[in-house]
Amino acid sequence: MRKILLVEDEINVVSFIKKGLSEENFEVSVALDGLTGFRMALEGNFDLIILDIMLPDKNGIEVCRDLRSQSISAPILFLTALNTADNVAVGLNSGADDYLVKPFKFIELLARVNALLRRGAGQIFEAAKKPNIYQFSNLKVDDDAKTVERNGENISLTATEYRLLLALIRNKGKVLSRLDLLESAWDINFNLGTNVVDVYINYLRKKLDSNFEPKLIHTVIGMGYILKEA
Ligand code: CA
């Protein structure tokens, strides 16, 4: 029987994953914090590790990095609560093999688990090989290289500005509320007012729209923001 270690602090996610994987005949061990997970992974000889990123005591990225430095080569699947470019890039750089963004369907998790077990340990995250490029008008966002170009000109953004732009371009032509943007670009655990979104939209506009045509970032009064051509 294949042994899986699940390191996750949200009880409902734990029971959802554990139940599903047990029904698929995996033997699932659970750690509810990062430090316990790290210790169990060192000792347990697991075939695969499912690792949440936001964990008490030791975050998933640190756990992953330390396991790799201890030569633990079991495939690691990250769970991330937010679709933030940062988390994923840092996570994959720390030695994880794949990641899944919450919320996900069990069938998606199972597919990743089976693919990782088939590929075996230490493989490079496959999706990283296919280009992750978003293009709109003369704006180009390369989510692999984390670069932004407007009209062929490189635009340097901070991590928050970048995440904000990524949310906009992934949803181009769609109005996103300030709350949508807040959840996409900031850690939802931070208690920020939505006016921080307006501040960062202004930063983004200065860098992205003020010197270029057409203007792409538009305010929808009373609703939020949209990426579209005027
Ligand atoms: Ca968590």
Side-chain angles (χ1 to χ4, degrees):
M1 199 183 253
R2 301 279 222 161
K3 288 171 66 186
I4 294 180
L5 174 62
L6 170 62
V7 190
E8 165 66 80
D9 60 322
E10 282 168 67
I11 301 296
N12 54 340
V13 180
V14 168
S15 56
F16 159 74
I17 294 177
K18 189 173 179 183
K19 181 172 172 285
L21 287 177
S22 302
E23 282 168 6
E24 296 294 323
N25 285 322
F26 291 102
E27 186 188 322
V28 184
S29 305
V30 174
L32 296 172
D33 66 81
L35 209 52
T36 308
F38 175 68
R39 290 186 186 134
M40 286 172 74
L42 281 182
E43 291 156 15
N45 203 18
F46 291 97
D47 295 298
L48 180 116
I49 299 163
I50 300 173
L51 192 54
D52 186 31
I53 290 185
M54 305 275 262
L55 285 168
D57 296 338
K58 191 175 174 77
N59 74 45
I61 288 164
E62 291 166 340
V63 171
C64 178
R65 197 172 316 158
D66 291 352
L67 286 175
R68 291 302 187 230
S69 74
Q70 299 284 317
S71 302
I72 299 293
S73 60
I76 293 178
L77 173 65
F78 265 141
L79 301 181
T80 166
L82 295 162
N83 203 352
T84 61
D86 272 1
N87 270 354
V88 169
V90 172
L92 295 172
N93 286 336
S94 71
D97 299 271
D98 201 353
Y99 71 96
L100 204 52
V101 177
K102 294 177 195 173
F104 49 81
K105 296 196 175 87
F106 179 74
I107 195 159
E108 295 172 314
L109 176 82
L110 186 62
R112 304 291 176 99
V113 164
N114 284 328
L116 285 172
L117 288 172
R118 266 199 307 276
R119 270 193 270 156
Q123 295 289 311
I124 297 162
F125 173 40
E126 208 167 64
K129 290 176 203 154
K130 52 179 188 226
N132 236 334
I133 292 170
Y134 300 89
Q135 218 146 359
F136 183 68
S137 181
N138 53 10
L139 170 67
K140 184 176 152 190
V141 177
D142 181 337
D143 195 33
D144 292 326
K146 313 289 178 207
T147 55
V148 177
E149 279 175 24
R150 190 74 211 263
N151 212 4
E153 201 175 302
N154 225 26
I155 312 268
S156 161
L157 299 181
T158 66
T160 303
E161 291 164 354
Y162 178 84
R163 289 197 293 265
L164 200 53
L165 177 61
L166 199 61
L168 285 168
I169 200 165
R170 276 181 173 154
N171 297 285
K172 60 193 171 193
K174 209 168 124 185
V175 178
L176 296 177
S177 71
R178 288 173 176 79
L179 200 59
D180 291 334
L181 290 167
L182 192 63
E183 288 179 2
S184 306
W186 282 269
D187 191 315
I188 196 165
N189 295 319
F190 284 117
N191 195 6
L192 295 166
T194 52
N195 60 337
V196 72
V197 174
D198 303 304
V199 172
Y200 274 84
I201 285 282
N202 276 333
Y203 293 155
L204 207 49
R205 272 188 174 140
K206 268 185 202 138
K207 291 182 178 179
L208 215 67
D209 265 351
S210 61
N211 298 322
F212 298 95
E213 291 297 335
K215 304 300 178 208
L216 297 179
I217 301 172
H218 299 271
T219 307
V220 183
I221 293 168
M223 307 289 274
Y225 294 97
I226 185 170
L227 190 80
K228 65 169 189 183
E229 289 189 76

